[in-house]
C-alpha cells in the first residue's frame, strides 16, 4: 500500500499541494520499516527494469532554477568545461571532496553536494565516476587543490584509493538521498540507475529514515543510535558514532539543497 507524504506546515501551500500527493521514492528494508518509521510513510522503489522505461527530460528542478545546479568552478577547470565530460565531473567532485576534508564542511560541503546534484542530473553513475578516478590514480595524475578565497594555489597531489572510495560513497549517498525525495525534485537526463543494487540496498533505508524525519516531522537531526540500528539490520555492523553523524549530516544537507523546507534567516 502506498501512503502519501504530508509535509510539515512550514512549507508553502503550493509546495504542500505538490508534496501531498506523492510518496518517497525508495523502499526501506522490511526489518526496519515497522521498527523505526512513523505510520505516515511507506515508500516503494521501482525496479531497475522499470526505470529503463523512463524518458529523458530537461535538466530542471521544479522549485530551483537550472543554473543553481550548474555551479561555478573555482579551480583550474573552467566552468564551461567542468561538466563537459565524465572525467571533468569526476575531477570537480574529487577536488570539492578534498576541500571539505581539508577546510571543513559548511559552504564547502554544499559545494560538493551541488556538484553531486549536477552529476546526478546529467546522468552520471557512482561506478562510472569511480572508474574515472581510479584511472587517474593509476596513471599517476595529480589533482590541483581548489583555489583559496582571495588568492590562488598551485598545490597538487596524487589520488589515493581510500580517497576515491570515500568520495564515491559520499556521492552515492547524495544520489540515494535524491531518490528519497518527493518526485520530481531533480530530473535526471538518463534512465541508467545512478547507483548499483548493492549500494542502494545498503543505504536506502538509512537515507529514507532521515528523509522521513525531514519531510514529515520537520527534523534536522536524528539519534545516531537509530541510524546505527538501521546499519546493523541491513549489513550486520554499524559505523562509529562520529562517522554515522557525518553521514547523517550529508543526507540532511543534501535535502536542504535540493528541497528546502524553511525560509533562510
Amino acid at each position: 500500500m502506498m501512503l502519501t507524504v504530508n509535509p510539515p506546515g512550514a512549507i508553502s501551500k503550493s509546495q504542500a499541494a505538490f508534496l501531498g500527493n506523492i510518496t518517497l521514492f525508495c523502499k526501506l528494508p522490511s526489518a526496519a520499516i515497522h521498527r523505526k518509521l512513523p505510520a505516515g510513510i511507506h515508500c516503494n522503489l521501482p525496479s531497475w527494469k522499470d526505470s529503463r522505461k523512463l524518458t529523458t527530460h530537461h535538466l530542471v528542478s521544479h522549485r530551483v532554477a537550472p543554473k543553481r545546479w550548474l555551479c561555478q568552478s573555482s579551480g583550474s577547470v573552467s566552468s564551461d568545461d567542468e561538466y563537459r565530460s565524465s572525467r571533468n565531473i569526476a575531477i570537480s567532485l574529487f577536488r570539492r571532496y578534498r576541500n571539505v576534508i581539508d577546510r571543513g564542511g559548511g559552504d564547502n560541503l554544499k559545494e560538493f553536494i551541488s556538484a553531486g546534484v549536477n552529476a546526478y542530473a546529467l546522468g552520471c553513475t557512482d561506478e562510472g565516476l569511480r572508474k574515472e578516478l581510479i584511472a587517474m590514480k593509476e596513471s599517476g595524475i595529480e589533482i590541483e587543490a581548489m583555489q583559496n578565497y582571495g588568492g590562488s594555489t598551485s598545490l597538487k597531489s596524487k589520488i589515493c584509493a581510500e580517497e576515491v572510495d570515500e568520495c564515491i560513497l559520499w556521492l552515492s549517498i547524495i544520489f540515494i538521498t535524491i531518490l528519497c525525495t518527493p518526485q520530481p525534485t531533480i530530473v535526471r537526463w538518463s534512465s541508467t540507475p545512478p547507483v548499483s543494487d548493492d549500494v542502494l540496498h545498503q543505504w536506502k533505508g538509512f537515507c529514507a529514515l532521515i528523509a522521513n524525519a525531514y519531510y514529515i516531522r520537520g527534523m534536522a537531526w536524528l539519534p545516531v543510535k537509530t541510524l546505527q540500528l538501521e546499519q546493523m539490520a541491513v549489513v550486520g555492523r554499524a559505523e562509529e558514532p562520529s562517522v554515522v553523524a557525518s553521514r547523517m549530516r550529508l543526507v540532511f544537507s543534501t535535502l536542504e539543497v535540493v528541497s528546502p523546507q524553511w525560509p533562510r534567516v
Side-chain angles (χ1 to χ4, degrees):
M1 180 178 180
M2 299 291 288
L3 300 181
T4 57
V5 176
N6 297 313
I11 64 176
S12 67
K13 292 182 179 179
S14 61
Q15 291 169 346
F18 173 79
L19 293 174
N21 296 312
I22 50 185
T23 57
L24 288 183
F25 193 56
C26 61
K27 185 179 180 181
L28 291 176
S30 57
I33 290 176
H34 300 295
R35 184 178 68 251
K36 295 185 285 293
L37 287 184
I41 198 166
H42 176 75
C43 43
N44 191 21
L45 182 67
S47 69
W48 294 138
K49 291 182 180 179
D50 293 335
S51 70
R52 294 191 184 100
K53 299 176 183 178
L54 298 175
T55 57
T56 300
H57 299 279
H58 295 293
L59 175 59
V60 295
S61 167
H62 79 279
R63 276 181 287 176
V64 184
K67 65 181 180 181
R68 171 170 182 157
W69 307 119
L70 298 178
C71 54
Q72 296 296 313
S73 169
S74 57
S76 59
V77 179
S78 71
S79 58
D80 290 337
D81 293 335
E82 192 169 6
Y83 297 99
R84 193 161 288 178
S85 70
S86 58
R87 179 187 176 90
N88 285 0
I89 292 172
I91 292 173
S92 173
L93 283 162
F94 187 75
R95 292 170 69 235
R96 284 173 166 79
Y97 164 77
R98 274 189 174 172
N99 206 36
V100 176
I101 299 301
D102 294 341
R103 305 177 190 176
D107 290 341
N108 295 323
L109 181 60
K110 293 295 178 66
E111 280 284 315
F112 177 83
I113 291 170
S114 293
V117 173
N118 287 340
Y120 175 91
L122 292 171
C124 295
T125 66
D126 56 353
E127 283 306 309
L129 294 174
R130 181 195 300 275
K131 290 177 181 178
E132 292 285 359
L133 291 176
I134 290 176
M136 286 185 279
K137 179 187 78 69
E138 292 177 347
S139 66
I141 289 177
E142 295 183 334
I143 302 295
E144 185 175 355
M146 300 287 288
Q147 289 183 0
N148 292 315
Y149 295 108
S152 62
T153 179
S154 59
L155 295 176
K156 295 183 179 182
S157 58
K158 292 183 178 181
I159 301 171
C160 70
E162 292 78 9
E163 287 181 309
V164 172
D165 290 342
E166 190 66 9
C167 177
I168 295 302
L169 176 56
W170 285 23
L171 184 66
S172 299
I173 291 173
I174 290 172
F175 285 179
I176 295 171
T177 300
I178 294 172
L179 293 177
C180 289
T181 62
Q183 301 299 303
T185 303
I186 303 297
V187 180
R188 182 169 164 82
W189 274 64
S190 172
S191 60
T192 304
V195 297
S196 68
D197 289 347
D198 288 343
V199 173
L200 183 67
H201 171 73
Q202 182 175 348
W203 290 100
K204 64 182 179 181
F206 185 97
C207 295
L209 279 173
I210 298 170
N212 202 25
Y214 180 79
Y215 286 109
I216 293 181
R217 292 183 281 172
M219 297 173 65
W221 193 259
L222 279 178
V224 169
K225 189 65 175 178
T226 298
L227 296 172
Q228 286 181 309
L229 288 173
E230 170 63 29
Q231 291 182 327
M232 287 292 295
V234 176
V235 297
R237 59 181 175 80
E239 295 178 298
E240 292 295 323
S242 61
V243 176
V244 175
S246 69
R247 310 282 192 228
M248 174 169 50
R249 181 185 180 193
L250 176 60
V251 176
F252 272 121
S253 295
T254 300
L255 292 169
E256 290 171 356
V257 168
V258 303
S259 187
Q261 300 294 297
W262 306 283
R264 295 186 181 276
V265 178

